[in-house]
C-alpha cells in the first residue's frame, strides 16, 4: 500500500460564529495590531471570507469544541454546501435537494438500534446526542463524481455513540439505513435506487476517531438537504458512504450490501475509499474539482484516503484496494 | 400542395428562428456573468458543459425532425430552416467541447488524450463531433453544388453522429437515465420515420 499524506493536519484555528459576524470590527482591530498579529489574524480572516455576507441561517448549536482533526483549509461557502447536493431521496439534480427538502420535518426523530448489541432499542434524537459533546470537524469531502468541498461539520464521534449500545463480539459491521417515507422524500416514489438507502462500515471504520455522526453545519443545525437531522461522515471515503437522515443503526456479523454497490457492483464497492489510483470505470479519480474555484479553477490531485491516510491506512493493510474498491 | 410562404415571410421567420435558437446561449452568458439573477451555481464548469451539450443534442434532434415533418405535413419550405438548425447544433456541441477542453481540462493534452482513449463515453462524444465537422464545413450552397450527389451521402453522417451523441449522454449518467431515454426515444422515432418512407418507396 502506498500513500503519501500531502497535508499535515494541524490544530485548527477556526473563527467562531461571533467573529464571523463581527469580522469588520475584527479586521479593523487587526489593522491597528502589530505586524506579527496581523499575519496571524489574516489566516482567520481567510476563513471568515468563506462565509456569505448574510449570517448563516438556522438554530445555533451553542458551544462547539474545536478539533485537531479539522483541516486549516478554507471551508466552502454555506451557499455552495447547501445548494449543490447529491441526496437522491429529494431528486437527482444537484439543486433538487435544496428545493425539495425545504419542508422536510425532522422533529420528532427516532433511531432504531438493533442487531448484535446489548442495548438495542428506539432512541430519541436528543437522547442520542447526549452521548458526547459536540465538536466542529472541518473535513474535506470527496465525491465519487470527482468534485470536492471543505465542510465545517458539527457532530459527535461515532465511537462514543456506538459504544452506548454495547456492541457484542459478533458485531463486525455497522449497517445504517436512511428514512423511507415517499410522502416526505418525494423522489423515493421512483425506483432510481433500491430504497431505503443503505450504507455500511466495518466496526473498526465506524469506531475510527475521524468518523462522526454529524448534526450540524457552520455551527447551526444541519440543513435538510445535507442529511438532517443526523448523518454519517467518513471523510476518507467517497461521499456516498456518508449516509444521510439515518433512522436505523444495526450491528451485523455479515458485511452489509450498500445501496450503490447493489445498484452497480462493478462501479461502486463496499469500501469506497478515496483512491486516485483506482479509477471509476467511466471516469478518472486522479484529480478532483474543488467546488468554489469558479470557471478558471484548476483540478487538484486527489489524495490517497482523501489525505486522511495517517489515521486510516492501517485499517486496510493487506487489503488489495484495486479489488476492494 | 400547399403554397409556400413568400420569400419575405420566410426571411422574417428565419430571423425569428435564429433569435430563438440563440436564446440558450444568451442565458448561459447571462448566467456566467451572474446578470439578471441568473447563475451557473456551485459548479459553473459542469453546468456550462452539461447545458451546452444538452442544447447541442436538442438542436440535433430538431434538425433531424425537419425532413419527417416536411414529409408528413407536405410543407416543403421547412427544409429552408434545416441548415441553420444544424449549424446551431454544431455551435452548441462545439461550445460543449471547448468548455471541456479549455475550462474543464485546461488544455491538459495528456488527460484529454487519456479521456478520449480510456473513457468510452468520451470516445463516443469525440467521434460524433468529428463526424459533424465535415458537415458544418460543407453546409454552404457552394459546397452543396460542388459535391452534388456526394453531398447527400456525406450528410448521412448526421445519423451515426446523433446516435453516438445520445449514447454519449446516456453513458455518463450515473443512475437516473430518464433524460437520455427521452432523447433516445425521440431519435428512434425520427430515424424510424425515415426507415418507414424508405421501405415504402425503395426506388428513388
Amino acid at each position: 500500500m502506498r500513500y503519501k499524506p500531502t497535508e499535515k493536519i494541524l490544530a485548527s484555528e477556526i473563527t467562531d460564529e461571533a467573529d464571523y459576524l463581527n469580522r469588520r470590527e475584527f479586521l479593523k482591530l487587526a489593522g491597528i495590531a502589530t505586524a506579527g498579529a496581523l499575519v496571524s489574524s489574516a489566516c482567520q480572516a481567510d476563513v471568515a471570507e468563506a462565509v456569505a455576507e448574510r449570517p448563516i441561517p438556522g438554530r445555533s448549536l451553542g458551544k462547539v469544541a474545536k478539533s485537531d482533526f479539522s483541516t486549516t483549509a478554507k471551508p466552502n461557502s454555506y451557499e455552495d454546501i447547501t445548494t449543490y447536493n447529491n441526496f437522491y431521496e429529494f431528486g437527482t439534480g444537484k439543486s433538487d435537494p435544496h428545493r425539495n427538502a425545504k419542508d422536510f420535518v425532522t422533529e420528532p426523530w427516532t433511531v432504531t438500534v438493533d442487531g448484535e448489541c446489548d442495548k438495542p432499542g428506539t432512541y430519541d434524537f436528543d437522547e442520542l446526542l447526549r452521548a458526547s459533546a459536540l465538536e466542529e470537524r472541518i473535513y474535506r469531502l470527496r465525491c465519487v463524481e470527482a468534485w470536492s468541498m471543505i465542510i465545517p461539520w458539527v457532530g459527535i464521534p461515532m465511537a462514543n455513540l456506538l459504544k452506548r449500545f454495547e456492541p457484542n463480539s459478533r458485531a463486525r459491521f455497522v449497517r445504517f439505513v436512511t428514512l423511507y417515507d415517499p410522502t416526505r422524500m418525494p423522489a423515493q416514489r421512483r425506483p432510481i435506487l433500491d430504497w431505503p438507502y443503505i450504507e455500511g462500515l466495518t466496526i473498526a471504520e465506524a469506531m475510527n476517531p475521524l468518523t462522526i455522526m454529524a448534526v450540524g453545519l457552520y455551527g447551526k443545525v444541519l440543513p435538510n438537504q445535507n442529511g438532517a437531522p443526523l448523518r454519517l461522515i467518513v471523510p476518507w471515503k467517497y461521499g456516498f458512504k456518508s449516509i444521510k437522515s439515518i433512522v436505523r443503526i444495526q450491528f451485523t456479523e455479515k458485511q452489509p450490501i450498500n445501496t450503490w454497490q447493489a445498484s452497480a457492483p462493478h462501479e461502486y464497492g463496499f469500501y469506497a475509499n478515496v483512491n486516485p489510483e483506482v479509477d471509476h470505470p467511466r471516469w478518472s479519480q486522479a484529480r478532483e474539482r474543488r467546488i468554489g474555484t469558479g470557471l478558471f479553477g484548476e483540478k487538484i490531485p486527489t489524495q490517497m484516503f482523501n489525505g486522511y491516510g495517517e489515521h486510516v491506512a492501517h485499517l486496510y493493510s493487506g487489503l488489495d484496494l484495486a479489488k476492494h474498491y | 400542395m400547399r403554397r409556400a410562404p413568400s420569400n419575405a415571410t420566410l426571411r422574417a421567420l428565419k430571423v425569428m428562428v435564429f433569435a430563438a435558437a440563440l436564446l440558450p446561449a444568451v442565458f448561459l452568458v447571462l448566467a456566467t456573468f451572474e446578470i439578471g439573477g441568473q447563475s451557473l451555481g456551485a459548479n459553473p464548469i459542469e453546468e456550462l458543459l452539461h447545458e451546452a451539450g444538452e442544447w447541442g443534442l436538442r438542436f440535433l434532434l430538431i434538425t433531424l425532425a425537419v425532413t419527417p415533418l416536411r414529409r408528413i405535413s407536405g410543407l416543403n419550405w421547412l427544409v429552408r430552416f434545416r441548415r441553420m438548425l444544424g449549424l446551431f447544433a454544431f455551435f452548441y456541441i462545439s461550445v460543449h467541447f471547448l468548455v471541456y477542453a479549455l475550462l474543464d481540462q485546461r488544455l491538459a493534452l495528456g488527460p484529454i488524450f487519456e479521456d478520449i482513449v480510456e473513457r468510452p463515453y468520451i470516445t463516443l462524444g469525440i467521434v460524433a463531433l468529428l463526424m459533424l465537422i465535415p458537415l458544418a464545413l460543407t453546409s454552404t450552397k457552394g459546397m452543396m453544388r460542388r459535391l452534388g450527389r456526394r453531398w447527400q451521402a456525406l450528410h448521412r453522417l448526421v445519423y451515426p453522429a446523433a446516435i453516438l451523441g445520445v449514447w454519449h449522454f446516456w453513458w455518463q449518467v450515473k443512475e437516473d437515465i430518464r433524460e437520455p431515454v427521452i432523447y433516445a426515444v425521440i431519435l428512434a422515432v425520427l430515424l424510424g420515420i425515415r426507415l418507414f418512407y424508405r421501405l415504402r418507396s425503395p426506388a428513388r
Side-chain angles (χ1 to χ4, degrees), chain A residues 108-185:
Chain A
W109 192 275
T110 58
V111 175
T112 301
V113 179
D114 60 351
E116 305 292 346
C117 66
D118 295 338
K119 292 266 173 66
T122 298
Y123 294 86
D124 191 65
F125 175 76
D126 294 327
E127 210 182 332
L128 293 172
L129 273 198
R130 261 177 257 138
S132 190
L134 291 177
E135 290 180 31
E136 181 173 62
R137 297 283 184 101
I138 305 170
Y139 281 162
R140 294 177 288 275
L141 177 132
R142 170 61 157 79
C143 179
V144 74
E145 297 165 346
W147 53 265
S148 63
M149 292 197 197
I150 291 173
I151 305 184
W153 302 110
V154 177
I156 58 176
M158 187 65 84
N160 296 0
L161 177 64
L162 297 184
K163 277 173 195 157
R164 287 188 54 197
F165 310 130
E166 297 178 13
N168 64 35
S169 59
R170 286 182 302 277
R172 296 181 53 226
F173 297 93
V174 191
R175 182 174 179 267
F176 299 91
V177 183
T178 295
L179 173 72
Y180 176 70
D181 186 348
T183 60
R184 294 159 70 195
M185 295 181 148

Side-chain angles (χ1 to χ4, degrees), chain A:
Chain A
M1 252 262 333
R2 307 178 284 143
Y3 80 92
K4 203 188 267 170
T6 58
E7 185 186 348
K8 249 223 145 354
I9 296 169
L10 304 165
S12 67
E13 283 187 292
I14 299 308
T15 317
D16 67 39
E17 194 202 347
D19 287 340
Y20 288 148
L21 301 176
N22 292 324
R23 67 186 191 286
R24 283 179 207 285
E25 277 82 344
F26 176 71
L27 289 173
K28 241 182 274 165
L29 284 173
I32 57 171
T34 63
L38 229 159
V39 172
S40 78
S41 64
C43 297
Q44 302 199 11
D46 246 12
V47 178
E49 283 298 323
V51 186
E53 286 300 307
R54 302 177 287 274
I56 304 296
R59 187 161 51 81
S60 171
L61 288 167
K63 200 94 195 97
V64 172
K66 313 268 175 240
S67 165
D68 286 351
F69 290 119
S70 288
T71 167
T72 51
K74 174 177 158 179
N76 278 88
S77 71
Y78 180 84
E79 199 190 351
D80 282 351
I81 298 170
T82 56
T83 59
Y84 190 80
N85 305 99
N86 276 329
F87 196 173
Y88 279 18
E89 283 81 347
F90 291 105
T92 53
K94 290 286 186 291
S95 54
D96 290 348
H98 167 70
R99 255 195 317 271
N100 299 336
K102 272 202 180 74
D103 303 322
F104 183 59
V105 177
T106 58
E107 287 175 59
W109 192 275
T110 58
V111 175
T112 301
V113 179
D114 60 351
E116 305 292 346
C117 66
D118 295 338
K119 292 266 173 66
T122 298
Y123 294 86
D124 191 65
F125 175 76
D126 294 327
E127 210 182 332
L128 293 172
L129 273 198
R130 261 177 257 138
S132 190
L134 291 177
E135 290 180 31
E136 181 173 62
R137 297 283 184 101
I138 305 170
Y139 281 162
R140 294 177 288 275
L141 177 132
R142 170 61 157 79
C143 179
V144 74
E145 297 165 346
W147 53 265
S148 63
M149 292 197 197
I150 291 173
I151 305 184
W153 302 110
V154 177
I156 58 176
M158 187 65 84
N160 296 0
L161 177 64
L162 297 184
K163 277 173 195 157
R164 287 188 54 197
F165 310 130
E166 297 178 13
N168 64 35
S169 59
R170 286 182 302 277
R172 296 181 53 226
F173 297 93
V174 191
R175 182 174 179 267
F176 299 91
V177 183
T178 295
L179 173 72
Y180 176 70
D181 186 348
T183 60
R184 294 159 70 195
M185 295 181 148
Q188 286 180 335
R189 283 175 212 144
R190 287 183 285 103
I192 300 158
L193 292 170
D194 188 10
W195 313 114
Y197 196 88
I198 288 160
E199 260 309 336
L201 297 173
T202 66
I203 196 91
E205 289 173 334
M207 296 291 187
N208 186 279
L210 281 175
T211 308
I212 61 166
M213 186 69 97
V215 297
L217 171 70
Y218 266 120
K220 300 294 181 76
V221 166
L222 196 63
N224 291 340
Q225 62 269 37
N226 294 87
L230 78 171
R231 65 171 295 175
L232 172 67
I233 298 294
V234 266
W236 70 94
K237 292 172 179 285
Y238 292 122
F240 70 86
K241 290 296 288 183
S242 293
I243 181 170
K244 304 182 179 86
S245 306
I246 296 166
V247 293
R248 186 177 175 194
I249 300 172
Q250 194 182 12
F251 296 94
T252 66
E253 217 176 339
K254 278 190 0 197
Q255 182 172 302
I257 295 171
N258 46 320
T259 298
W260 277 103
Q261 188 189 5
S263 160
H266 57 291
E267 298 192 336
Y268 312 101
F270 172 76
Y271 288 96
N273 292 315
V274 174
N275 188 343
E277 287 159 30
V278 177
D279 285 343
H280 185 281
R282 286 179 287 157
W283 57 81
S284 166
Q285 297 291 28
R287 296 181 299 154
E288 65 201 48
R289 174 162 312 289
R290 180 61 54 80
I291 300 300
T293 53
L295 271 181
F296 303 104
E298 196 166 356
K299 285 186 178 174
I300 53 176
T302 290
Q303 304 177 64
M304 187 67 208
F305 296 119
N306 204 19
Y308 295 102
E310 61 173 304
H311 304 290
V312 299
H314 66 274
L315 296 172
Y316 311 103
S317 56
L319 196 71
D320 181 354
L321 294 177
K323 213 170 126 214
H324 297 276
Y325 49 88

Side-chain angles (χ1 to χ4, degrees), chain B residues 37-194:
Chain B
Q38 302 291 311
S39 164
L40 295 172
N43 195 346
I45 296 177
E46 178 191 67
E47 182 71 8
L48 272 185
L49 188 68
H50 288 177
E51 283 295 313
E54 285 189 46
W55 279 108
L57 270 183
R58 285 175 199 140
F59 275 101
L60 207 50
L61 294 181
I62 293 170
T63 310
L64 284 171
V66 169
T67 298
L69 273 179
R70 186 183 129 207
R71 284 264 171 98
I72 291 163
S73 67
L75 303 173
N76 276 323
W77 51 270
L78 283 176
V79 76
R80 310 257 301 256
F81 293 87
R82 195 173 60 179
R83 178 198 351 240
M84 181 166 63
L85 293 167
L87 284 172
F88 265 109
F90 183 72
F91 165 69
Y92 283 107
I93 290 165
S94 302
V95 170
H96 174 64
F97 172 76
L98 289 173
V99 170
Y100 164 76
L102 297 177
L103 295 180
D104 189 58
Q105 300 293 330
R106 293 170 60 106
L107 271 183
L109 296 180
I112 291 177
F113 183 75
E114 190 188 303
D115 261 359
I116 293 173
V117 175
E118 286 183 23
R119 324 267 165 232
Y121 83 92
I122 295 182
T123 316
L124 295 180
I126 287 287
V127 172
L129 174 65
L130 291 177
M131 285 175 165
L132 291 177
I133 290 172
L135 308 196
L137 292 178
T138 58
S139 63
T140 59
K141 276 214 169 80
M143 286 307 282
M144 272 178 104
R145 218 174 301 125
R146 215 175 309 163
L147 288 171
R149 291 188 72 82
R150 283 174 303 164
W151 186 90
Q152 204 173 18
L154 176 68
H155 278 248
R156 290 209 177 98
L157 267 179
V158 72
Y159 306 138
I163 292 169
L164 294 184
V166 171
W167 194 354
H168 161 77
F169 182 31
W170 191 313
W171 218 341
Q172 61 85 41
V173 167
K174 229 165 83 185
E175 202 60 25
D176 188 4
I177 53 167
R178 283 172 300 162
E179 263 192 275
V181 165
I182 293 170
Y183 285 79
V185 166
I186 293 172
L187 179 62
V189 168
L190 294 176
L191 296 182
I193 293 171
R194 286 177 168 80

